[in-house]
Amino acid sequence: MRVAVVSESFLPTVNGVTTSVCRVLDHLADNGHDAVVISPHAGSPSHYRGFPVFQVPAVAYRQFPVGLPSLQVDRVLDEFAPDVLHVASPFLLGARALSAARRRGLPAVAIYQTDIAGFAKRNRLGLTAPLAWQLVRRMHEQADRTLVPSSAALADCLAAGIPRLARWGRGVDIDRYHPRNRDRAGARELRARLSPGGETVVGYVGRIAPEKQVERIRDLKGLPNTRFAIVGDGPATPAVTKALRGMPVTFLGRRSGDDLADAYAAFDVFVHTGCEETFGQTLQEAHASGLPVVAPRSGGPIDLVDSGVDGALFEPGERSGFRGAVEALVGDAEQRARMGEAGRRRVLDRSWDAVCAELLEHYEQVVRERTALAAAAAR
């Protein structure tokens, strides 16, 4: 199969969209498919896994490149002649690609992954949430299928009137993220740095941006025998650093690969702080690493955490709920171990190979449906 992948984010930018796109490309390469990538110009590599990467002009917003609509999208589609278009988290660039696909009769799958309506409201872009949803609906109406990552995202998209929806989750590298990593030298050295006196380590991994609400960790101030670690970077780093001043917190910066796996292995409890996640990939990585997860009862985490079994969900507006959930785990090593084991079991069937095989089934289905429609129209 020939797949044109248009992504609003790609390397070297690291986030959930980039991660999922790279894993999809890995699966395509490993299974003999062909692909091209179109992404914003931001220092991206010229190739990934042997697939060419075409860059379009972009503007920077809050340290994030935003791809602009470009005629290059049309040229690449015409020259590559894909069987299907995959559009990851469509915005300006993705909207252009979906429009081009519709004009060419090219089957298109759109991946809903970013809460654009919430983003617009939070950043005061002059768009009301209803108007933002109207724009999102117009983009996704051009796709043959929109794949959503969670039950909360599905409900939001249904309420907005987006047609042709289906669920598609995200995979996790269950080999890289594993409880056995605690015995690796890198994890032990980091653990000694984070917990010099044997304290319980509460950790966060992710982008440090306003929507992630990392400053919520200040609600944990004063927990006895507890230290904190934050992995990631982003535009809200100065504000978060100020909010957490006086707390025993270590900022570890952005990490990837084995360094990131070692960070998870050095934690005892994983906390997720934002309320606008359509999925929550770091929660799966924490579970694969054998950690209990504490997260808001909002968005993607609702599907990823079985409260009381492999972690705890707290009501987003209740500060005491967040603190109480973390405090209970900090004070109970047996419960942490039990929930960590349950979390690991929860993700064992979510390998990227399994998830990407499911995605290819969606590709094949939209191709068959489009072919049938064309045949019916020709009669």
Side-chain angles (χ1 to χ4, degrees):
M1 182 171 285
R2 295 170 65 81
V3 183
V5 177
V6 176
S7 179
E8 302 288 350
S9 176
F10 197 61
L11 299 171
T13 302
V14 178
N15 54 32
V17 175
T18 299
T19 296
S20 62
V21 166
C22 288
R23 297 294 79 80
V24 168
L25 294 171
D26 290 340
H27 187 82
L28 293 174
D30 292 341
N31 289 275
H33 301 285
D34 200 4
V36 294
V37 181
I38 305 173
S39 67
H41 177 71
S44 299
S46 62
H47 289 76
Y48 181 87
R49 291 298 305 271
F51 302 141
V53 178
F54 296 91
Q55 300 176 13
V56 301
V59 296
Y61 179 74
R62 292 173 62 237
Q63 303 180 7
F64 188 84
V66 177
L68 300 176
S70 170
L71 286 172
Q72 187 173 4
V73 173
D74 301 66
R75 289 196 296 268
V76 172
L77 293 180
D78 287 338
E79 293 173 4
F80 181 66
D83 299 308
V84 67
L85 174 70
H86 172 125
V87 184
S89 193
F91 190 44
L92 300 179
L93 176 59
R96 174 63 185 239
L98 287 168
S99 178
R102 178 55 63 95
R103 293 194 300 272
R104 288 160 174 77
L106 173 64
V109 172
I111 312 299
Y112 176 80
Q113 199 162 342
T114 302
D115 182 3
I116 294 177
F119 178 89
K121 181 178 180 181
R122 182 180 58 257
N123 289 280
R124 302 174 184 175
L125 298 182
L127 294 173
T128 64
L131 178 56
W133 272 115
Q134 183 179 358
L135 296 176
V136 171
R137 183 176 65 251
R138 286 179 180 175
M139 283 190 291
H140 284 272
E141 281 176 341
Q142 299 183 84
D144 294 85
R145 185 166 301 180
T146 290
L147 303 181
V148 298
S150 65
S151 59
L154 179 62
D156 287 343
C157 290
L158 283 171
I162 296 175
R164 300 178 293 279
L165 296 166
R167 283 280 299 273
W168 180 63
R170 300 293 180 270
V172 61
D173 190 335
I174 58 176
D175 293 319
R176 166 162 282 167
Y177 303 108
H178 198 286
R180 63 170 174 256
N181 292 340
R182 295 167 189 157
D183 296 326
R184 292 200 313 212
R188 292 199 305 268
E189 291 170 3
L190 181 58
R191 174 73 187 193
R193 174 184 167 193
L194 298 177
S195 176
E199 299 91 348
T200 301
V201 178
V202 175
Y204 165 88
V205 175
R207 183 166 160 81
I208 305 178
E211 67 272 16
K212 302 299 184 180
Q213 298 177 274
V214 185
E215 65 277 3
R216 188 191 294 272
I217 291 174
R218 68 189 169 198
D219 294 340
L220 306 177
K221 188 173 184 178
L223 285 183
N225 197 40
T226 305
R227 298 180 69 89
F228 306 91
I230 294 176
V231 174
D233 59 14
T237 299
V240 171
T241 302
K242 181 178 179 181
L244 304 186
R245 189 173 296 159
M247 295 180 65
V249 57
T250 302
F251 287 83
L252 296 172
R254 187 182 349 180
R255 289 183 165 228
S256 61
D258 288 346
D259 288 339
L260 178 56
D262 285 344
Y264 282 113
F267 298 164
D268 296 298
V269 178
F270 181 83
V271 294
H272 177 76
T273 51
C275 298
E276 299 176 10
E277 295 294 329
T278 57
F279 188 67
Q281 180 62 17
T282 58
L283 281 71
Q284 289 201 137
E285 293 169 354
H287 271 153
S289 302
L291 295 174
V293 172
V294 177
R297 193 183 301 276
S298 175
I302 293 174
D303 295 331
L304 300 179
V305 179
D306 189 353
S307 197
V309 176
D310 49 38
L313 295 173
F314 63 91
E315 299 303 324
E318 296 181 4
R319 296 175 59 182
S320 60
F322 176 47
R323 183 183 177 92
V326 175
E327 188 171 19
L329 287 168
V330 165
D332 192 337
E334 290 186 5
Q335 184 181 34
R336 293 199 302 269
R338 183 171 64 253
M339 287 186 168
E341 290 174 3
R344 172 72 184 177
R345 291 194 300 271
R346 186 182 183 92
V347 299
L348 288 178
D349 63 348
R350 295 181 186 171
S351 70
W352 275 111
D353 276 345
V355 169
C356 288
E358 180 185 344
L359 176 63
L360 259 69
E361 291 178 5
H362 286 293
Y363 290 167
E364 292 165 356
Q365 288 170 8
V366 298
V367 170
R368 287 197 300 268
E369 291 167 3
R370 181 59 71 95
T371 300
L373 286 173
R379 292 194 189 109

